[in-house]
Amino acid sequence: MLRPQLNPSSSHHHTTTTSSSSSTQLYFASSSCIASLRRPSPPSLIAGAGCRTTRRRQQGRQRVVVRCASSSAASSASEAARRGTGSSDMAPAAVVKVKAVATIKVTVEGLLNSLRPSKAIDNIRDLIGRSLFLELVSSELEAKTGKKKATVHSYAHKVDDDDHGVVTYEADFDVPTGFGPIGAVVVTNELGQEMFLEDLNLTAGDGAGNSTVLPIRCNSWVQPKSSIDEGTPGKRIFFAKAYLPGQTPAGLRSYREEDLKQKRGNGAGQREADDRVYDYDVYNDLGNPDSNGDLARPVLGGSKQFPYPRRCRTGRPPSKKDPKSETRKGNVYVPRDEEFSEVKNAQFLLKTLQSVLHAAVPAAQSALIDNLSLNLPFPSFFVIDKLFEDGVELPGVEKLGFLHSIVPRLLELLRDSPGDKILLFDTPANVQKDKFAWLRDEEFARETLAGINPYAIELVREFPLKSKLDPAVYGPAESAITADLLEEQMRRVMTVEEAISQKRLFMLDFHDLFLPYVHKIRSLKHTTMYGSRTIFFLTDDGTLRLLAIELTRPASPSQPQWRQVFTPSTDTTKSWLWRMAKAHVRAHDAGHHELITHWLRTHCAVEPYIIAANRQLSEMHPIYQLLHPHFRYTMRINALARSRLISAAGIIELSFSPQNSVAYDKLWRFDMEALPADLVRRGMAEEDPTAEHGLRLAIEDYPFANDGLLIWDAIKTWVQAYVARFYPDAASVAGDEELQAFWTEVRTKGHGDKKDAPWWPKLDSPESLAHTLTTIVWVAAAHHAAVNFGQYDFGGYFPNREYLGGEQTRPWNSDAAVQAAYAGFTARLKEIEGVIDGRNKDRKLKNRCGAGILPYQLMKPFSDAGVTGMGIPNSTSI
C-alpha cells in the first residue's frame, strides 16, 4: 500500500516521497534491466553501478528506465544475494542496494517490560542485530516454475532510540537481477514482546546520489514470534501498493488470501488479547445472571423478537445460569489493532465513558444534601448550581474507586489542597452563555434544530395525530391534541389544515416508541414515565414556536388510560405544569438521542461494517484503505459500552429506557442513513434538482441540515473521485469478488436480522458503490460528530481528535489522481469551515446567532486542542 507521505507522528524521522507521485515502484527487472519506476519528473533513479537512463512517454506518463550491464558485485553482496534468493536460477551477477528503515513506537507497557529479566535477551538480540527479521516479497512468480519467488531477507539492527518513544531499525538488502517489483514486506518480531510498527520505508539508490523512497504505512501491532499460538505463523505482511483482487500481481495473490484467512479465524475458541481475528456474535453479553438473577437480560440479535446488529465475537464461555448468555469475566476482546493507542487510552480514562454518573453524582448528592436515604436526586436548582460554582468535596482515598469511571468532560479538574479533594464540574457552554436559556420555550424549540439530537424533529403530514399501537392494549389511537387547541396557540393566523399544507407544523413524536415501556419504567422506585407528542409552529422569522405537549400513560390492570395536553400559560400553576411537561419531553429526547440517534445509528450499526471489511477486504484493497481511518477505535469503545453503559445496571440502562431492539426493528434501514434520505424521510426536505444540494429544506434555518449537507457533498465528491479511479464501469464493480463478499456479509451476517429487506442497495455500478461508501463515511464521521461532541455543552446542566480531511484519512497509495482528489476534499472542508463561521455571525439566522444562543459548530470540520464541541473526527470515536 502506497501513500504520499509518512505518518505525521513519524514523518520527522525519514525522507518522504513527493505527494504527486502517480505510481512509485521499486522494480528489479531480469537480464540487463535492473530497475524501473514510473513517476512524474524529476525522476529518482534506482540502479547499480554502470547504469544509463532513458526516458519514454507511455500513456501520458514519463517512464524512467534504468538499464545496467550485468556486473559482479562485491563478494559479500553476491553471497547475500544467494542467501536472499535461495534460487539457483538467479545468478548473483548484479544487485541493487536497498535499505529498509522501520519505525517502532515504544509504549508505556513496553517500557515496563524492559524491567523483565528476559529483557536482557532482547538487548543482546538488538546488539547483534537479530531482533527484527524483514523479507522483501516479489510481485512476480518464477518464470520457469510458476511458484513464488524466494524472498530477499535481512535482519534489521537498531540505529536510533529518541526521546519521543520512537525506535528506528535499519536493514540492508542486495536485491538480485530479475527479482521484479517489491510488492510487500514480511516482518517477524524476534523480540520477547509485541511491537507497534508505524511504517517501513524502502530506499534504493543508483550509485550516483539519486534515490527513490517507497513508504509503506503499517500502524499495526506485530506479535513476538515466541508467543504465537501453535499453527499460527509468527509473521506479518505489509503490502506496498493497492490492488483490486483481479489486478493483484501473481506473486502476491497467495499472500493476499492467507492474510485474509488469518483475520477471519476459525470461529472457535476464546479470543486472546493479541489476536487479530474478526468474527460475529449476538449481543448476549449485556446481562450478568451468574452474579445476580435480577441482572439477566435477553439476547439481542438472532431472533424475530429481538432483532439487532452483530458485534465482535469474543468466545468467552457461556453463563452457568443462562447458557444463551456469555460470561462477563475479564476484559472484552477486540482485535489487537482495534485497541486504543496509549494516548487515546489516557484521554479515555481521564475524560470519558466509564462514568462518574454511576457513582460521582450520588457522591455529589451525598455531599450536598447528606441524605441518600431519601433517594431524591436534587432538592433544588441551587444545589445543582453548586456543582459548577463550588464543586464537591470527595470522600477519602479509600472510597475513590469510582474515579476510574468518567463521563466525557464531566470533570474539569480534581483539585488537591491540604486536607480535602474537590471535584469541580465544568460549566456547560449553554449555561455560560445564558444560565436561564433552558427555561425558555424558544431555546427548547431551537435545540431541536441545532442541539445534540437534530434527528428527531419531523414534519406533521396528517391530522389528527394517530398512534399505530393496538388500541385494545394502549387505549384510543387518536391524539388528544385538537385542531382548535393548536389554532388558539397559533393565534388564529391560520387553520391547522392550512398550516399542514404550508409545511408549518412540526413535531417530536415519542409516543409509540416509549408507550410500551411506561409501566416497566414506572415500576422502578421514584421513577415516572409517559409517552409524549410535542407540536411546533414555524413562524415567519424562521424560528419554531412551541405550541403544545401531550403526555400519555397507557391503561393498566388497575388504572385506565391517562393523557393530558399542556400549553404555555401565565397562570402560576399551569406555567409550572408546562415546565414539568417540557422536562418530560427533554428526558424522552435524551433517551432517544443516546440510545437511538447516537448508540444504535452510529456505534452499533457501524461495527458490522468494520468486521466485514476486515474479513473480506484485503488490506491492499483500495476500498479497505478508504474506509479504514473511519473505523478507528470504534470496536473498543463499543466493547466498553457493552460492559459499562448499556449492560445490565449500566449507566445508560439506568438512565434511559431499553427499547433499542424495537427501534432497530422499526426505524433502522441502511438506505435512510444517508443525510439527504434521512431529511426527506422526516419531511424536513424534499428533492429539488434546482436547489442547492438537490434538496429544498422545509425550514431554511436548520443549522444541522444546512451545515451537514455541505459536509455530505464534500464527502460524496471525494468518494466519487476515489471510486472512479479504480472502477471505470459497472462490470469492474460487479466483478470485484472481495467487494461483493464484503457487502454480502454486511447484509447477511452483520445486519443479518434484516438480510431480506428489499431496501438494501446493490453494489452494481460506480455510482451505487460511491453512494454506499459515502453513507458509511457520513455515519461514522459526521453523523456521530453531530450527536456526540455537543453532549456536555447542551446536556451537562441536566435540567436542560484527528479530523476528517487530515493526514490519517489521506490515502495510502500515491496515485496522482487520488491525491489530487483528496487535496480538493481537504480544501473544500476548509472552505466549509469559513462558511459555517459566517453563518454563525449572521443575525438573520436566529437559530444559530443571537443573545444567549450558542453558535452551531458541531459540523465544523476541524477543532482546536481539547474538547471544544466542534470538529468531525474520522471515526465513531469519543
Side-chain angles (χ1 to χ4, degrees):
M1 297 176 282
L2 294 180
R3 60 183 178 87
Q5 61 182 38
L6 296 181
N7 186 312
S9 63
S10 59
S11 60
H12 61 283
H13 295 288
H14 312 297
T15 306
T16 62
T17 188
T18 59
S19 61
S20 62
S21 173
S22 61
S23 181
T24 305
Q25 289 188 9
L26 299 189
Y27 185 90
F28 306 94
S30 59
S31 186
S32 62
C33 180
I34 292 183
S36 94
L37 68 146
R38 296 179 180 87
R39 60 185 300 173
S41 61
S44 295
L45 309 181
I46 309 173
C51 301
R52 62 186 178 85
T53 64
T54 59
R55 289 177 170 80
R56 300 174 183 168
R57 283 287 175 186
Q58 184 179 42
Q59 296 181 344
R61 299 177 180 174
Q62 178 173 268
R63 183 181 184 188
V64 183
V65 181
V66 184
R67 296 193 177 279
C68 308
S70 297
S71 61
S72 297
S75 59
S76 59
S78 300
E79 179 62 24
R82 281 193 293 270
R83 289 199 309 269
T85 61
S87 174
S88 59
D89 65 347
M90 298 185 74
V95 296
V96 171
K97 298 288 187 181
V98 174
K99 180 182 292 292
V101 178
T103 305
I104 308 295
K105 182 70 174 178
V106 177
T107 64
V108 172
E109 183 178 359
L111 292 175
L112 294 176
N113 284 337
S114 67
L115 303 176
R116 296 177 298 118
S118 59
K119 178 60 179 178
I121 299 175
D122 289 348
N123 290 337
I124 294 173
R125 285 179 176 146
D126 274 339
L127 184 65
I128 63 176
R130 291 271 177 173
S131 53
L132 193 63
F133 187 64
L134 305 180
E135 301 174 73
L136 306 183
V137 178
S138 174
S139 296
E140 297 177 348
L141 297 175
E142 289 283 7
K144 293 182 179 180
T145 65
K147 295 181 179 180
K148 290 190 295 187
K149 290 184 177 181
T151 60
V152 177
H153 54 258
S154 177
Y155 277 100
H157 55 282
K158 185 162 72 174
V159 296
D160 188 28
D161 189 347
D162 70 12
D163 296 333
H164 302 287
V166 176
V167 180
T168 304
Y169 286 82
E170 289 185 358
D172 294 304
F173 301 88
D174 293 325
V175 180
T177 298
F179 187 71
I182 296 175
V185 179
V186 175
V187 179
T188 304
N189 177 6
E190 301 279 1
L191 296 175
Q193 59 181 318
E194 66 179 3
M195 60 172 61
F196 187 77
L197 180 60
E198 288 192 334
D199 52 49
L200 289 164
N201 291 272
L202 306 182
T203 305
D206 65 351
N210 300 306
S211 63
T212 292
V213 178
L214 175 64
I216 302 175
R217 184 189 298 179
C218 304
N219 287 331
S220 184
W221 291 94
V222 181
Q223 298 304 319
K225 183 179 179 181
S226 59
S227 73
I228 301 298
D229 294 334
E230 185 177 353
T232 302
K235 299 181 178 181
R236 285 292 310 280
I237 189 165
F238 297 96
F239 298 104
K241 193 174 186 295
Y243 291 104
L244 295 177
Q247 300 170 349
T248 308
L252 299 179
R253 289 172 191 163
S254 64
Y255 290 98
R256 181 176 190 143
E257 293 167 2
E258 181 60 29
D259 192 53
L260 276 175
K261 182 180 178 181
Q262 289 182 21
K263 293 176 76 174
R264 293 180 190 129
N266 59 10
Q270 184 169 350
R271 299 268 60 91
E272 301 296 334
D274 56 3
D275 288 345
R276 58 189 291 260
V277 174
Y278 296 76
D279 204 354
Y280 301 96
D281 207 343
V282 294
Y283 278 72
N284 63 350
D285 61 345
L286 302 181
N288 194 1
D290 289 347
S291 172
N292 186 331
D294 292 338
L295 297 181
R297 293 295 183 268
V299 175
L300 301 185
S303 68
K304 291 183 179 180
Q305 183 181 7
F306 296 111
Y308 214 59
R310 301 300 190 263
R311 49 94 173 176
C312 181
R313 179 185 177 276
T314 68
R316 292 187 293 186
S319 162
K320 294 179 181 179
K321 294 185 178 180
D322 179 11
K324 293 182 180 179
S325 295
E326 183 177 281
T327 57
R328 299 270 304 274
K329 294 180 180 178
N331 193 30
V332 183
Y333 165 80
V334 296
R336 186 66 182 97
D337 283 344
E338 305 299 333
E339 286 283 2
F340 290 159
S341 68
E342 289 192 331
V343 172
K344 180 70 176 179
N345 197 49
Q347 294 171 346
F348 187 86
L349 290 176
L350 286 173
K351 294 185 177 179
T352 58
L353 249 176
Q354 308 162 352
S355 172
V356 83
L357 281 179
H358 187 56
V361 169
Q365 178 181 334
S366 177
L368 291 170
I369 65 175
D370 196 27
N371 198 353
L372 282 176
S373 61
L374 293 177
N375 199 24
L376 298 175
F378 290 95
S380 69
F381 293 122
F382 169 78
V383 173
I384 298 174
D385 292 342
K386 297 293 283 184
L387 292 175
F388 307 110
E389 295 171 2
D390 299 337
V392 181
E393 183 176 346
L394 296 172
V397 174
E398 69 279 2
K399 298 180 181 179
L400 286 177
F402 66 81
L403 282 180
H404 68 85
S405 305
I406 301 170
V407 153
R409 258 188 103 187
L410 196 57
L411 300 177
E412 178 192 37
L413 177 66
L414 182 61
R415 209 164 51 209
D416 286 319
S417 61
D420 69 355
K421 291 179 181 291
I422 301 297
L423 181 65
L424 189 63
F425 289 76
D426 187 15
T427 304
N430 64 338
V431 177
Q432 293 181 31
K433 194 82 172 178
D434 184 346
K435 183 175 181 179
F436 300 104
W438 67 275
L439 282 169
R440 299 200 312 268
D441 291 356
E442 295 82 1
E443 178 62 15
F444 182 102
R446 189 191 72 84
E447 288 186 16
T448 65
L449 304 173
I452 57 171
N453 192 22
Y455 278 93
I457 190 166
E458 58 184 288
L459 181 71
V460 174
R461 285 171 275 200
E462 61 179 19
F463 198 86
L465 305 174
K466 293 183 180 180
S467 169
K468 295 180 181 178
L469 298 175
D470 184 354
V473 177
Y474 298 102
E478 189 168 310
S479 169
I481 299 175
T482 64
D484 185 66
L485 181 146
L486 292 180
E487 288 165 6
E488 179 182 355
Q489 292 300 313
M490 290 189 292
R491 300 166 189 170
R492 307 293 180 183
V493 296
M494 62 180 66
T495 66
V496 167
E497 183 178 1
E498 291 170 336
I500 290 176
S501 67
Q502 295 178 31
K503 299 184 177 180
R504 303 284 288 269
L505 288 183
F506 298 83
M507 71 174 172
L508 296 176
D509 187 356
F510 301 132
H511 184 275
D512 287 10
L513 187 63
F514 285 83
L515 209 61
Y517 302 93
V518 165
H519 291 311
K520 182 177 180 180
I521 294 172
R522 289 171 72 93
S523 69
L524 301 175
K525 191 176 181 181
H526 299 299
T527 304
T528 191
M529 180 67 179
Y530 302 94
S532 68
R533 296 184 180 100
T534 306
I535 307 298
F536 305 88
F537 175 70
L538 180 62
T539 65
D540 291 339
D541 67 359
T543 61
L544 292 176
R545 181 190 302 157
L546 184 52
L547 300 183
I549 295 172
E550 177 185 26
L551 298 181
T552 303
R553 184 195 67 216
S556 71
S558 60
Q559 292 179 308
Q561 182 198 61
W562 177 93
R563 59 183 179 175
Q564 185 170 336
V565 179
F566 300 87
T567 57
S569 176
T570 56
D571 176 82
T572 302
T573 300
K574 290 182 178 179
S575 67
W576 276 106
L577 287 173
W578 172 242
R579 289 169 184 166
M580 292 302 295
K582 288 196 296 180
H584 278 289
V585 176
R586 284 189 183 276
H588 299 165
D589 188 63
H592 180 276
H593 160 260
E594 201 63 75
L595 278 175
I596 300 172
T597 308
H598 186 187
W599 164 256
L600 175 63
R601 294 181 63 180
T602 62
H603 290 267
C604 188
V606 166
E607 185 156 345
Y609 311 150
I610 303 173
I611 299 172
N614 280 279
R615 286 170 55 85
Q616 301 298 340
L617 297 177
S618 167
E619 293 183 9
M620 70 162 72
H621 198 294
I623 301 306
Y624 178 90
Q625 296 178 12
L626 173 71
L627 291 177
H628 183 261
H630 303 291
F631 294 157
R632 194 178 190 199
Y633 300 140
T634 301
M635 291 181 71
R636 170 44 67 201
I637 290 171
N638 289 1
L640 288 167
R642 295 202 313 274
S643 64
R644 297 185 180 271
L645 291 183
I646 64 171
S647 56
I651 298 155
I652 289 181
E653 192 190 50
L654 288 175
S655 305
F656 307 106
S657 53
Q659 69 277 3
N660 229 212
S661 174
V662 173
Y664 177 70
D665 184 36
K666 303 294 184 184
L667 302 178
W668 190 90
R669 45 186 289 179
F670 182 86
D671 64 327
M672 293 291 111
E673 293 305 292
L675 177 60
D678 173 82
L679 293 170
V680 171
R681 174 171 67 170
R682 291 187 285 120
M684 300 305 292
E686 60 183 13
E687 294 182 358
D688 182 351
T690 66
E692 187 179 14
H693 314 295
L695 292 178
R696 186 171 301 279
L697 294 177
I699 300 176
E700 291 185 10
D701 184 11
Y702 184 1
F704 161 69
N706 297 133
D707 297 355
L709 286 169
L710 293 174
I711 300 296
W712 168 270
D713 276 359
I715 295 172
K716 180 178 72 173
T717 300
W718 151 238
V719 172
Q720 285 176 336
Y722 188 92
V723 167
R725 178 63 185 85
F726 297 98
Y727 297 94
D729 50 37
S732 60
V733 175
D736 186 335
E737 295 179 357
E738 285 185 10
L739 180 69
Q740 296 301 326
F742 156 70
W743 193 235
T744 296
E745 196 164 286
V746 166
R747 299 192 324 270
T748 62
K749 292 188 177 181
H751 287 275
D753 295 336
K754 288 178 175 280
K755 65 179 184 299
D756 297 322
W759 39 255
W760 283 104
K762 296 181 179 179
L763 300 190
D764 55 6
S765 67
E767 293 75 22
S768 64
L769 173 58
H771 184 78
T772 298
L773 297 175
T774 299
T775 301
I776 292 174
V777 173
W778 163 263
V779 171
H783 176 148
H784 181 259
V787 302
N788 181 71
F789 293 105
Q791 288 185 89
Y792 195 79
D793 287 342
F794 288 101
Y797 191 74
F798 20 92
N800 196 26
R801 26 214 168 262
E802 292 147 358
Y803 294 98
L804 199 65
E807 290 302 322
Q808 287 297 319
T809 328
R810 185 178 289 278
W812 296 0
N813 65 78
S814 56
D815 182 273
V818 170
Q819 291 301 323
Y822 189 77
F825 175 50
T826 302
R828 178 56 180 152
L829 290 178
K830 292 177 180 178
E831 291 175 2
I832 291 171
E833 183 102 346
V835 171
I836 293 174
D837 285 339
R839 288 173 174 175
N840 284 334
K841 296 176 183 178
D842 187 346
R843 293 192 173 275
K844 293 182 293 184
L845 302 177
K846 297 184 178 181
N847 290 322
R848 65 194 307 157
C849 180
I853 293 177
L854 282 181
Y856 189 74
Q857 301 184 111
L858 293 172
M859 288 287 94
K860 288 188 69 171
F862 309 107
S863 172
D864 296 329
V867 181
T868 61
M870 67 181 80
I872 303 176
N874 293 324
S875 60
T876 302
S877 183
I878 60 175

